[in-house]
Every structure is written in C-alpha cells, then in structure tokens.
Amino acid sequence: MLCHCFRNVFVCLLVALCFATGCEDKRPIASKSSPAQAGGATKNEAQQSSILLDHPEYANWSRFPVGASVTRKRVVTNEFGEVQVTTKMWLEDKSKTEVAVGSQVSVVRSDNPPENNPPSSTTYPAQFSPPTGMKPELFLLPSGKAKLVGEEKVSIGEVEVTAEVYEWTENNEAGQMTVKLWRSEEIPGRIVRQEMLTESSSTRTIEQIGELDLKGQ
C-alpha cells in the first residue's frame, strides 16, 4: 500500500518536473484542408515553413554571461510523504547562433538516500522554424492553456524582478491540477516561482529559487 501511495506522488512529480524544465504545450494546431489541397502543401503552409522565430530560451539565456546559474528547489507533498527536487541550471556557452545550458537534478524521497542525477546539457538555437499550423504566440506561453493574469514584483535575496503571473489547469493521471506560475526574463530559465495543486490526491507542489548567480565566472 505504501509503495502504491508513493507511486501516486511520483506521478504528480513527473508532471511537475515537466513544468520545471520548460516543458510547454507546443503541439501544432490542426488545420482543415480541402480535398484539392490534400495532395500538397498550401500557399500558407509554404509561407509558414520559411518563417523563423526567435527561440524564447535563447533570448532568455543569452542575456546573461557564461557561468550564470539558478538553483530551484521544489517540494512535492501529500499525506503519504514528501519529495524534494533540486534543479541547478547554468549557462555553459553562448554564441550568436545558439546557447548551451547545463542542468543537474537531485531528488530526496522519504526514507531513501538522496539521488544525484548526472549533469546534462541542452542546446537552444537563436531561431527556429515553427511547426506547420502552430500559432507563434502559443510558443511563448508556459502552456497552451495558460492565461496571463497580471504582474508582480518578486524579491530573490537582494534582487527584485518583475514577474508575469500565469494561471491555468492541467489534466494528468491523478486528476485536474491547478497551476500558478511567476515568470521573468530577468532570471535565467525564467521560472521565479510555481505552485501546483492536485485536489484529488491532495498533492501540493511549491517551487522557488534557492540560489541565483547573475554574474557568472
């Protein structure tokens, strides 16, 4: 029974981790085509295939010097236990065409020793070609369902930033999950704070910045 309960915790955790690393709903929006168009690309599709958009991750990380980093701490709790996730991200390299961002995740579960995952690296191009049929503005949202509800000043140690506040509801295996996200371009990785609640399992997730280095090496 205990193992099953913790499995529920981890279902929510895996969904939550998706938001922590910028996992967004970027699926193309299906477009209707007539039978005459079914055999080839339409004029609009051909035009869109040549469009290049600025990549939001490149735009954000390239603002900072190499070595700049952010450490986010996330706590997932319900009546059966607690999971703590620490994610550190840092700018490894940047150029006019791409940035390389390193990351390392550590997990602490109830009654288990800490797990330190090996570091990984992700490269983001300065520009990208969006999928056919996708509205460019959707790529800028944290989720296709997210709604901008306002702005707030947030203090992180001695640093104060202006954060956009988003709210939305996601559906996962454990049920509906409400999400509130504070996001700012003034912070590497953009996520300032995040709160999630799955009412069906009383699983609450709170993530916030623990350490911040804007100067780098």
Side-chain angles (χ1 to χ4, degrees):
M1 178 64 181
L2 182 60
C3 179
H4 176 72
C5 295
F6 276 117
R7 190 177 300 116
N8 289 336
V9 173
F10 282 110
V11 167
C12 298
L13 172 61
L14 290 175
V15 174
L17 279 173
C18 188
F19 295 106
T21 54
C23 180
E24 303 172 358
D25 187 354
K26 302 169 187 171
R27 292 170 295 178
I29 299 175
S31 59
K32 296 181 180 180
S33 58
S34 66
Q37 297 170 339
T42 66
K43 181 178 179 180
N44 289 339
E45 289 174 341
Q47 289 176 340
Q48 184 167 8
S49 66
S50 64
I51 294 175
L52 288 176
L53 301 179
D54 292 336
H55 199 295
E57 294 298 327
Y58 176 91
N60 172 246
W61 281 97
S62 62
R63 295 165 55 111
F64 306 99
V66 171
S69 65
V70 60
T71 300
R72 299 197 295 261
K73 296 187 176 182
R74 170 179 301 226
V75 179
V76 184
T77 57
N78 66 15
E79 61 181 306
F80 304 113
E82 177 178 287
V83 177
Q84 298 180 19
V85 181
T86 301
T87 303
K88 181 175 182 179
M89 305 177 71
W90 62 92
L91 182 59
E92 293 182 336
D93 195 13
K94 69 175 180 177
S95 68
K96 293 182 179 180
T97 58
E98 63 182 25
V99 294
V101 178
S103 63
Q104 197 273 328
V105 178
S106 300
V107 181
V108 178
R109 298 188 296 267
S110 301
D111 301 324
N112 283 277
E115 296 181 10
N116 297 316
N117 295 328
S120 62
S121 181
T122 304
T123 299
Y124 299 103
Q127 294 184 313
F128 73 102
S129 180
T132 301
M134 188 195 80
K135 295 181 179 180
E137 59 269 23
L138 290 181
F139 198 86
L140 301 177
L141 296 174
S143 167
K145 302 176 182 179
K147 302 295 182 182
L148 179 63
V149 297
E151 289 188 349
E152 291 183 15
K153 294 287 187 180
V154 181
S155 295
I156 307 169
E158 298 180 354
V159 178
E160 184 180 69
V161 301
T162 300
E164 295 179 331
V165 184
Y166 294 88
E167 293 182 355
W168 71 97
T169 300
E170 294 284 353
N171 294 310
N172 57 53
E173 295 181 21
Q176 285 192 336
M177 178 175 66
T178 58
V179 184
K180 187 172 183 179
L181 172 69
W182 288 257
R183 196 172 74 169
S184 174
E185 294 294 340
E186 301 171 57
I187 297 297
R190 299 185 289 173
I191 296 176
V192 177
R193 181 179 173 86
Q194 193 164 210
E195 298 176 356
M196 291 172 279
L197 175 64
T198 303
E199 293 186 1
S200 62
S201 60
S202 299
T203 300
R204 182 178 299 276
T205 301
I206 297 179
E207 180 180 28
Q208 55 192 344
I209 293 176
E211 298 178 13
L212 180 65
D213 178 5
L214 301 179
K215 297 180 180 179
Q217 299 177 351

